[in-house]
Structure formats: structure tokens, C-alpha cells
Amino acid sequence: MSTESEKQTESNASTAAEEEALLEDASAFRAGEAEADRASAAEAPTLEDLQSQLSAARAEAESLRDQALRVRAEMENLRRRHAVELEKAHKYALDSFVRELLQVRDSLDLGHDAALAEGADIAKIREGMELTSKLMGDVMERFGVVPVDPIEQPFDPEFHQAMTMQPRSDLPPNTVVAVMQKGYTLNGRLVRPALVMVSQEAS
């Protein structure tokens, strides 16, 4: 009988110890939850923090907007300057050519005055005209204007315009035998074809 009583006492003590351990675990768990709640509350932003962040975001957005407006204004100014420069380039593209051409005009005026003078020297007038013609040719060549003068060259329909044919036994057919009017190219591009007489086979 005493043995069963002892066993019952031991069982009750074991159960009490288990209950006490469970109570300690539950208390520790609640303490952990409370600590987590306090940490979460400490990490949560306050209204002042949110307002400060909103103000910073608005300031950054305003700064970016100002930068975008400045870039847009600069691009617009650049476009306007480019348009003005392009207009000037088109308007005054012949400025250098005109400057060079003025000396040819001056030479022509001098030759004209000399021809009208009493007792004009024809030989000097002829010499002046030759010099003026050479001056004009030099100016044109400096600006890429080259004459097309294809005498005794094969006929080329891209640069020559045949005005008439002439039977010739001393030249191959389709050879330029006379140039009625010189043609001209500008930097290799045809401006005016040469008007020519072309040989054909003699009958």
C-alpha cells in the first residue's frame, strides 16, 4: 500500500514539474512576443518621418523638373541657332565666289573704257581681253568649274550634245570635230553640255 502511495506521489510531482515547465515556456513566449511588438513599434515610421520623406521626394521631383525644363530650353536655343546658321550658309554660300568674280568685273570695265577711248590701241585691248579671260578661267577653276572642250575626243552623250554630223575620212566615226559652245562641270557634275559637231563615216 505504501508503495502505491509513493508511486502516486512521484507521479504527481512529475506532473507538477511538467506543468511548471510549460508555464515557464508560455511566459518566455509571451515575453518574446512583447519584445517583438516593442521592436516593431520602434521600427514603424512616425507621421513626422513620413512627412519628411514626402517633402524630400517633392523637392527631388521639383529639381528634376527644373533640370528637364532647362535642357528643353537649351535644345530649343540650339535648334534656333542651327536654323539661323543654315539660313546664313544658304544666303551667303556664293560670298567667296563673288569676291573673286569682282576682279574679273573690274578688268572688264577697264577693257571697256579702253575700247571707248579715242585712239584706242586694238593690240592692247586684245591683250587685256585675253588676260581677263584667263583671270575668269582661274577663278572658275578655283571653285571647281571646269570647261568641257572635247575637240577630237570620242563623243560622250553624258557631257556632249551633238548639233550636226560631218563626214570625215581622217577621223574615226563619232569623234568630236568641232566645239560650237563649251560645256562646264561643277565639281564633276555637268552644268551645261558642250555643243559639238560629230564625225561620221565618209560615203
Side-chain angles (χ1 to χ4, degrees), residues 50-65:
L50 292 175
Q51 289 177 341
S52 176
Q53 292 175 8
L54 179 60
S55 298
R58 284 177 175 171
E60 184 178 1
E62 187 65 22
S63 175
L64 293 174
R65 178 176 176 276

Side-chain angles (χ1 to χ4, degrees), residues 171-190:
L171 292 172
N174 292 322
T175 299
V176 176
V177 297
V179 178
M180 303 170 184
Q181 184 182 75
K182 293 180 183 179
Y184 287 93
T185 60
L186 174 60
N187 295 322
R189 180 180 179 181
L190 185 67

Side-chain angles (χ1 to χ4, degrees), residues 19-95:
E19 289 178 353
E20 185 177 352
L22 288 173
L23 288 173
E24 289 178 357
D25 289 344
S27 177
F29 179 75
R30 284 195 296 272
E33 281 188 333
E35 183 65 25
D37 289 342
R38 284 194 296 272
S40 177
E43 293 176 358
T46 63
L47 179 60
E48 289 78 8
D49 292 338
L50 292 175
Q51 289 177 341
S52 176
Q53 292 175 8
L54 179 60
S55 298
R58 284 177 175 171
E60 184 178 1
E62 187 65 22
S63 175
L64 293 174
R65 178 176 176 276
D66 290 342
Q67 291 179 18
L69 290 175
R70 283 196 296 271
V71 169
R72 182 177 178 181
E74 290 175 1
M75 291 296 293
E76 183 65 19
N77 290 336
L78 182 62
R79 186 192 66 79
R80 289 175 182 170
R81 284 197 300 270
H82 179 70
V84 170
E85 291 172 0
L86 187 62
E87 182 183 357
K88 288 181 179 179
H90 288 159
K91 191 173 183 179
Y92 301 108
L94 296 178
D95 183 72

Side-chain angles (χ1 to χ4, degrees), residues 107-160:
S107 182
L108 287 172
D109 289 342
L110 290 173
H112 181 261
D113 293 342
L116 294 178
E118 188 174 348
D121 189 335
I122 300 300
K124 288 185 178 180
I125 293 175
R126 185 182 294 117
E127 182 182 357
M129 289 296 295
E130 290 175 356
L131 291 174
T132 301
S133 179
K134 183 181 183 306
L135 180 62
M136 182 66 176
D138 292 343
V139 169
M140 293 173 68
E141 188 173 352
R142 277 199 294 273
F143 287 89
V145 181
V146 178
V148 179
D149 189 10
I151 189 70
E152 295 187 357
Q153 294 179 12
F155 176 75
D156 185 349
E158 291 190 9
F159 293 94
H160 313 151

